Amino acid sequence: MWLSRRALSSPKRKFHPARKLSLYVHWPYCKSICPYCDFNRYLNPNVDHHKMRDSYLKELDYFIDLATKYNGKTPTISSVFFGGGTPSLAKPQTFDAILKRLHERCVVADDVEITMEANPTSLEAEKMSDFKAVGINRLSIGVQALNDADLKYLGRNHTVSEAEETIKKATELGWRVSFDLIYSRHPDQTVEAWREELRRALSFNTGHLSLYSLTIEKGTVFGAKDAKGQLRVAPPEIQEAHYNACIEEAEKFGYKQYEISNFALPGQESRHNFNYWDGGDFIGIGPGAAGRLTNESKKKISFLQVKNPDKWMAQVIAKGAGINEETELTEEEQVMELMMSGLRTTRGVSMANLHEFSGGKLEQILDFKRIKELEGLGFLTVDDERIVATKEG
């Protein structure tokens, strides 16, 4: 079904864009640096936990004040995500202080989703009960592989048995659990071996899996080796076969692909990530964190924090926030960002949000002739409510 002319341009149509507010907290420290990772991460065996906690709280206050000013009311928090880095290396008291500050200064939804990333090492597993006690209710575990040889190749410090024990304990503690796996690690990873690994992963029945193809990034150990021709990379046809295996094996266990890399049983999808993909507002605190807030003029303001932890803390102490870049996004940038993120998901992009973000100029921003062509080719489905990418698209 193609969009009606009225749906595209009528000023009488009432739109209801996403207005949820999420919080992302970036913990920048790791025990070791994985050879494929290009995230904002640092090695520091002597973290000043007290200073980090105080800096988080000060920056959080800054952005809560800003969100309140922009919206004219106390913010309502729908989700929180502690990412990194390796946030499970933080002291539980640090995250407890952040969550308490949220409850003091914001309305926190009764069904708030609070996720923490973790690595499956024995030391971190011992801290699980403490993190559960502070209010974290969802765990995202960086397993990455279910065979020890590939874990070593990927620079991971845990074993398969440690990963399995962490998954088991997290489930027993009553957490919602997700874990990550990487595929197309090297040319020797066969499709059948990957299918067996997927079946083993799905048999844990955690309800959610994130499955990523190995990407080679500049500034990483793998990136440097690849530039010198010293890295053996899985060819495109193997990567495609691995990706198709993800969809096929997940479906056998009742998991649905709801985003390119994410699979879940019904009701187990990441609500925090959906707020990103749907164009919702989010506060980002910590070194290198990003954020988006809608101001009084209904413009999206993009924030990017200073990356280096020491410099970030110094700026937070001096100015209240470690902002490195603050940019007002144009209507075109808002629409393109929404299209790029929303089309990754099976529910696609909301026409209501597109109209809101375009400032009434959607026809000038989007090439609807091209969209119609893509629909005719079977790459998109389009109606008055949503634009959705098909499996072929």
Side-chain angles (χ1 to χ4, degrees), residues 140-184:
S140 178
I141 306 170
V143 174
Q144 313 311 0
L146 287 174
N147 73 71
D148 287 327
D150 280 357
L151 284 173
K152 184 176 180 180
Y153 175 74
L154 293 171
R156 306 298 289 175
N157 290 328
H158 63 271
T159 63
V160 172
S161 62
E162 285 177 320
E164 292 178 339
E165 182 61 29
T166 301
I167 293 168
K168 179 183 177 182
K169 183 169 183 178
T171 303
E172 290 173 349
L173 284 171
W175 259 318
R176 290 174 59 203
V177 177
S178 174
F179 62 93
D180 301 350
L181 291 176
I182 294 173
Y183 58 89
S184 299

Side-chain angles (χ1 to χ4, degrees), residues 10 18 40 45 52 88 111 138-139 158 169 214 232 262 266 309 344 364 372 382:
S10 172
N40 189 43
M52 282 292 291
S88 52
D111 63 346
R138 184 174 181 270
L139 201 63
H158 63 271
K169 183 169 183 178
L214 178 66
R232 298 174 65 241
N262 286 280
R344 293 178 59 91
Q364 287 76 41
K372 187 173 183 179
V382 187

Side-chain angles (χ1 to χ4, degrees), residues 52 59-60 118 156 222 263 293:
M52 282 292 291
E59 188 163 72
L60 179 58
R156 306 298 289 175
F222 277 179
F263 301 78
L293 290 175

